[in-house]
Every structure is written in structure tokens, then in C-alpha cells.
Amino acid sequence: MPQVRKLVQAFLEASAIASQVSSPQQPRLQNVAAIVPSNYTVPAGYTETFEVTQPLVRPSTRKCTVDVGLHDFAYSYYEHWVAQFTPPPAAECGTEWSFVALNWQGYITGRQFDRIVQIYVGEAEVLHGTTDEPSRVGIYWNVEKDVTDFSPVFKTNQTVTVILDNIVDSTYTGVFHTHLSFDFYATDSANPVPSTVPDALIALTQPSPDFSPTLSGGKAASFPIPAGTIPPNVVRAELEYVVSNHANDEFYYFNVPDSLANPDNGVFGGGTFKELSVALDGTVVGVDWHEPVIYTGGMNPLLWRPIVHPGSSNVPSYRFDLTPFVGTLTDGAAHTVTLNVSNQIAGGNWFADAHLRLWTDKSSTARTTSAVTTTSIPSTPPKVVIATNAAGDANITTTLVKETFVNSTVTTASGPRVVSIRKRVSFSSTVQLTQQTNVISLSHNVLTLVQSASFPAGNPAAAAIGLSRRKYGLDIFYGYFPAADGSYFVNTTVATDIEVKQKVGVDLNSIRDAGETLAKRSTSQTGDGYFGVQGGASVGVCTTDQSFNYAVKDGQCYHRVVSAYNRTVSSSVVDGHCSLA
């Protein structure tokens, strides 16, 4: 199988634009001081690149903006942007906020790779994403993110660190011109502090300047929590697992079983199933299942101009309810949280860190205890079926249906409550390799149900049951067609369907995909294109179409349908045709 990375790179070299698999390591070429611009103005004629999503709903209360500043990333490996953050004036916006927004802007022209971006306030990673690949005429972006649930971090002076490792030399000329700010919105009677804001947040990262460890070849990342760090009266705990995949695992949805792997020819092993796990003091307390994101250098870079793949600007994280285990966390002892990804391969890299959010009992300082009665998190491997023929074609199917269950009695000053977490995944993947692996088609599907329930001990009839339903689908056709004179062309079709629903659960004793839908977020994106290289010249045509729907019962509605042809938006319609169905 011709390596996807090599084909894309050849095309970009010929067309005087550049692309690369986002790579965590590059050799130090030089030590160039950062360039700090005096102002931020996007030059005329640049094209906006964007991820289709719902706009932030900002309250109408008083706003205070903390402008972190402007920075240019030229040669910036090992040269992070380090700035200072000061909370907004308490007299104007208070010390607690109804909403906090991150604003990350930038522009670039020339030849350059797509780059990993990590923004830390203190040691908390408030944005994890990638940059968009530039064009010769220039691009710009405006990324906004709701970071209200990081509020505890913003209450004190902090160091802000932005990691964007870039290279500028005679070949790769693009410099990222960036701007970062935060908007804080005061509270009032109609806009209180949301219940999603924790009382404390513990960042699980490495010490500066590295922050996010790299998982590779089966390596896990462990983070110590010193004794006495966690308040004794925690009543709820949630861990946010921030992770992205790169290098030989960037396109893991193509990966084959180890028995068929041929890394020298770009055919990597490890398979297509990647399970994320969280362990507390060496015991696994939760698992989830990774959903791929394609960065703007992936597959055919023309597909992502100007509409990028869902999640590439703000990589989705994974949240684990650790409330059943709060009694362990509140014992005053030191603890260790370990993050892992299954089926890692040599040369693959996963950036991983986490945030532990804690909610405390406002009415009492008494220690919370818990008694875990059931922990069922089986290490069930997926079923893999391989079919091959004499021509060397292969059809690989990978399937898994798995359910986990944790049940615990959590006792606070208000008395004992039973807390249970059920999860179920239905995973299926089909990878077909034909024509000496020059033509690849795949279908990658993940359906995840997460049910959380809580009720006073002895009174299950009073149970509050919430159900989250995530459905992810990725279908790809990739055909490489070489000619005898050394020219070639590549056809690529990428279709992505994502749907997330928040529902009312209906059955305390089993997990069922039923109940009323309270909120829905869905998107469907299809990109189709080809590029070719002949005699050093390149050609390419690409179309991208996407629909996006966001609806909340008796609340927000946003629906957009947008299309692009050859790097230009050809149509865009925003209307009120939202649906919870």
C-alpha cells in the first residue's frame, strides 16, 4: 500500500504548498527568538478556514476581556509562547462568571505543515487542536471555545503557555501570526454560575515546558496527586481525558492486524480499535472509545479548504464520571491517575493529559466516603476476521460489543446515595485493500451509550437517570493510480457522520437507547476530490458539503448547510430547521 503521507507530501511539494502529518518531534535546526508583532490585522484577500459548529451563546451581562497578546510562530520548536494572565477586574465582572470564552485567532501564508496547538493556563490545557494548512494566497481562522468549566483556574494569576512547534526555512516559509484572549461575563439573576463549573480543578500534566506526555508503543502516562490535594468533602468527580493521535497512528483507521503489517511499505499494524482507559492507583475505573479526527494535512489536503474536518480545530475530549470512587479520592492519601490507549504501535504518538474536576459539599466539611459494590470493566478484545485471495487483496472486519458497569454507595453529610455508571460500545470496522493495496476503502463506526443514575439509598424509585448517545461514522475511499511515466493521480472520498444526543434514561437496571431527547448535536460532511502529479506539475479538484444541526429542547437552535468547491465556499445557508429527532 503506498503510504498516504508520502503521496500527499509529493503532491504538495509539486504544487508549492506544504502538508505533513502532525509530528511531535523535529530536529532542532536553529534557535530563533520569537517574533512579537505590534498589532493583529488579517491582510486583505486571505480566505477564512473554519470548522462548522454552533456559535457560542454569550450572555448579555457585563463583559471583561483579558487580552493575552499577539505572537508570531516562526521557528518555534522548543520556543513556546509564554505570557501572563491576570484575572478580570473584580469590581467590573466579579470573581465568578456566568460564561468564559476563549478566542484563538491566526493567519498565515506560504508553505507550511499543519501543526499541533496546545494552550495551557497554568497547567490546565484549555485548547487542544491543530492549525489549518495555508495556501499561497493566505488563510485565517477564528476559533472560539466555551471554557467556563475551567473557571477555578482563571481566579488567580497564571502563566499562559502556547505550544505551536513550527519550522521556517528556505522550503517552509509560513509564519503563524496569532492572537489569544479570554472574555469573562458577569453573573446576574438570569445568568448565574452554571452547575458545570467545579469548585476545584486539578490539572494532570507533566511539568512545564512539556506538559503533555507522548504515549507510544504501549506506553501509559501516570500523573501523581500529592497527599492532601483533594478536599475531603467532594461529592462529585469528573475526569476529562484530552488525547490526539499522530505519526504512525494518525491514520489508525487504516491499520491492519499485526499479521498483515508491512511498515516499510506504509502498512501499519495494531488494528483499527483504540480503547481509552483511566486507572486510579493501578485499577481501571473507566474506559471509552476513540473517534478519529482528520487534520488538514490528512488524506487529500484540498478536502479541508476552507471547511475543515469536525474536531480538527478543537479536538474532542472524553469525560469520565469518577463519582463512584470519591471515597478513595478523599482519603487524604497520595494517588496516581494513569491514562492509556490500547493497541498503540511503534512510531505512533498519542498526546495525552487530563483535568480532574471536583464539586464539594457547600453545607459541610465532613469527609465523603464511598463503597464500590460492583466494578465490571472487562478487557474484552475485538473480534477480527481476515479474508485474503491469491491476488493479495484483503478484507478485514473488526467488531466488538462491550458493556461496563460500576455501582457505588456514596455517603455525604446529606446521607448515602447510590451512584451507577453503565457504558456500552458497539464497534465495527471494515478495511478493504485491493489492487496490490493501491485502492483502499473502509467503514469505521462507533456507537457509545453512557447512562448515569443516582438515587437515595433504599429508594430506587427516585432515581434520576441520564443517557448520552454518541454515534460516529467514517467512510473513506482512497485510490492511487500510477502510470508508467511516473505520474499518478489519487481519488479520495471521505464521509463523516457524527451525532450526539443527551436523553432521559428509562431503565435503572439496564442501558437502553430510549427516552426523551433533551439536546442533539449532529453533523454530516462529505468531501470528494482528486489530485494528480505529472512532470512536476499538479492538478486537483475538490468539493466538500456539510450539514450541521444543534437543538436544545425549548432552547437553542442552529442549523447550517454549507458547500465548497475548489477552496471557495459556494453556498452557505443558516436557518431554523433544527431537529431533536
Side-chain angles (χ1 to χ4, degrees):
M1 177 178 69
Q3 193 179 64
V4 173
R5 301 161 180 78
K6 293 180 180 178
L7 293 176
V8 173
Q9 185 70 19
F11 163 65
L12 294 170
E13 294 287 350
S15 57
I17 52 179
S19 171
Q20 181 205 35
V21 175
S22 298
S23 173
Q25 297 292 334
Q26 290 285 350
R28 180 189 289 271
L29 301 180
Q30 53 183 324
N31 187 359
V32 179
I35 305 169
V36 180
S38 59
N39 56 67
Y40 176 84
T41 302
V42 177
Y46 280 36
T47 299
E48 182 180 15
T49 59
F50 56 93
E51 181 177 335
V52 181
T53 187
Q54 76 272 20
L56 298 184
V57 178
R58 302 175 183 237
S60 58
T61 59
R62 181 188 293 270
K63 181 181 77 169
C64 295
T65 297
V66 175
D67 195 339
V68 177
L70 306 120
H71 192 83
D72 284 7
F73 292 90
Y75 184 88
S76 55
Y77 267 90
Y78 315 103
E79 302 290 342
H80 307 330
W81 174 21
V82 178
Q84 299 305 310
F85 169 88
T86 302
E92 296 183 26
C93 289
T95 57
E96 294 186 318
W97 310 286
S98 61
F99 192 83
V100 183
L102 173 152
N103 309 294
W104 165 245
Q105 302 163 305
Y107 64 91
I108 183 174
T109 188
R111 304 175 79 183
Q112 197 49 265
F113 301 150
D114 54 339
R115 297 295 190 180
I116 303 163
V117 177
Q118 297 173 280
I119 300 177
Y120 292 86
V121 177
E123 294 184 346
E125 187 175 14
V126 295
L127 180 68
H128 186 110
T130 61
T131 63
D132 303 333
E133 291 211 337
S135 66
R136 286 170 287 182
V137 299
I139 64 163
Y140 71 95
W141 72 85
N142 295 287
V143 174
E144 58 177 16
K145 179 182 178 182
D146 179 356
V147 291
T148 311
D149 61 1
F150 286 92
S151 289
V153 174
F154 296 122
K155 292 185 176 183
T156 59
N157 293 343
Q158 298 281 6
T159 297
V160 174
T161 306
V162 183
I163 302 174
L164 197 167
D165 291 337
N166 190 38
I167 287 177
V168 170
D169 57 22
S170 59
T171 302
Y172 302 108
T173 59
V175 175
F176 293 94
H177 310 275
T178 68
H179 176 233
L180 176 65
S181 65
F182 295 91
D183 293 331
F184 295 82
Y185 294 82
T187 61
D188 61 16
S189 58
N191 297 278
V193 176
S195 61
T196 54
V197 174
D199 298 300
L201 185 148
I202 299 172
L204 302 178
T205 60
Q206 292 183 157
S208 175
D210 296 325
F211 290 107
S212 178
T214 301
L215 312 185
S216 181
K219 174 185 174 183
S222 293
F223 305 92
I225 301 177
T229 301
I230 297 176
N233 59 336
V234 171
V235 296
R236 177 187 167 200
E238 177 188 81
L239 184 136
E240 180 185 15
Y241 186 163
V242 183
V243 63
S244 62
N245 53 299
H246 307 279
N248 290 352
D249 260 331
E250 179 170 351
F251 304 109
Y252 75 81
Y253 37 86
F254 283 115
N255 288 5
V256 301
D258 290 341
S259 61
L260 298 180
N262 183 0
D264 291 339
N265 197 34
V267 182
F268 298 115
T272 59
F273 180 75
K274 305 294 182 181
E275 183 171 84
L276 312 176
S277 64
V278 175
L280 177 61
D281 299 331
T283 300
V284 175
V285 294
V287 293
D288 211 326
W289 301 278
H290 191 260
E291 299 166 3
V293 173
I294 302 175
Y295 313 127
T296 58
M299 306 307 302
N300 177 348
L302 296 180
L303 292 173
W304 322 121
R305 298 177 181 170
I307 307 171
V308 304
H309 191 262
S312 67
S313 300
N314 176 20
V315 174
S317 58
Y318 298 80
R319 304 218 175 196
F320 295 76
D321 190 342
L322 299 187
T323 303
F325 305 95
V326 292
T328 299
L329 294 171
T330 60
D331 63 3
H335 295 286
T336 300
V337 172
T338 301
L339 310 178
N340 208 348
V341 180
S342 69
N343 304 313
Q344 301 170 38
I345 62 173
N349 295 306
W350 296 75
F351 286 1
D353 55 37
H355 311 107
L356 181 61
R357 292 182 173 85
L358 305 170
W359 289 259
T360 58
D361 189 340
K362 305 299 191 300
S363 63
S364 173
T365 58
R367 182 194 165 206
T368 299
T369 61
S370 64
V372 180
T373 57
T374 305
T375 302
S376 175
I377 306 177
S379 56
T380 309
K383 179 181 178 181
V384 179
V385 178
I386 304 171
T388 60
N389 61 24
D393 300 338
N395 187 87
I396 305 151
T397 60
T398 305
T399 56
L400 175 70
V401 177
K402 176 176 177 176
E403 186 166 327
T404 69
F405 177 54
V406 176
N407 194 74
S408 177
T409 299
V410 177
T411 302
T412 69
S414 302
R417 294 187 67 83
V418 175
V419 178
S420 66
I421 310 294
R422 295 181 184 271
K423 288 187 176 183
R424 186 171 74 220
V425 63
S426 299
F427 175 86
S428 66
S429 166
T430 301
V431 178
Q432 295 178 317
L433 311 174
T434 60
Q435 297 185 27
Q436 290 76 49
T437 68
N438 283 343
V439 176
I440 313 166
S441 60
L442 69 86
S443 181
H444 190 99
N445 299 280
V446 188
L447 174 61
T448 304
L449 301 177
V450 181
Q451 179 173 287
S452 302
S454 175
F455 59 87
N459 187 13
I465 308 174
L467 179 68
S468 172
R469 180 185 189 273
R470 299 197 327 256
K471 185 179 181 181
Y472 177 96
L474 177 66
D475 293 277
I476 297 177
F477 172 84
Y478 190 91
Y480 168 72
F481 304 100
D485 62 359
S487 62
Y488 65 85
F489 70 92
V490 175
N491 279 354
T492 310
T493 300
V494 180
T496 306
D497 292 281
I498 303 172
E499 180 184 87
V500 180
K501 289 184 177 181
Q502 302 300 326
K503 309 177 75 172
V504 177
V506 297
D507 190 341
L508 181 63
N509 298 312
S510 65
I511 187 166
R512 293 169 51 195
D513 188 3
E516 181 184 16
T517 299
L518 304 178
K520 175 185 175 182
R521 181 182 186 273
S522 62
T523 191
S524 179
Q525 183 190 73
T526 300
D528 184 68
Y530 77 89
F531 65 77
V533 175
Q534 185 173 20
S538 63
V539 294
V541 175
C542 185
T543 61
T544 303
D545 301 290
Q546 186 168 356
S547 62
F548 180 90
N549 173 82
Y550 179 75
V552 178
K553 182 184 177 183
D554 302 324
Q556 186 182 0
C557 164
Y558 182 80
H559 180 256
R560 182 179 184 184
V561 178
V562 59
S563 298
Y565 176 75
N566 275 5
R567 313 175 198 179
T568 302
V569 172
S570 54
S571 66
S572 178
V573 177
V574 177
D575 55 38
H577 297 161
C578 302
S579 172
L580 287 170

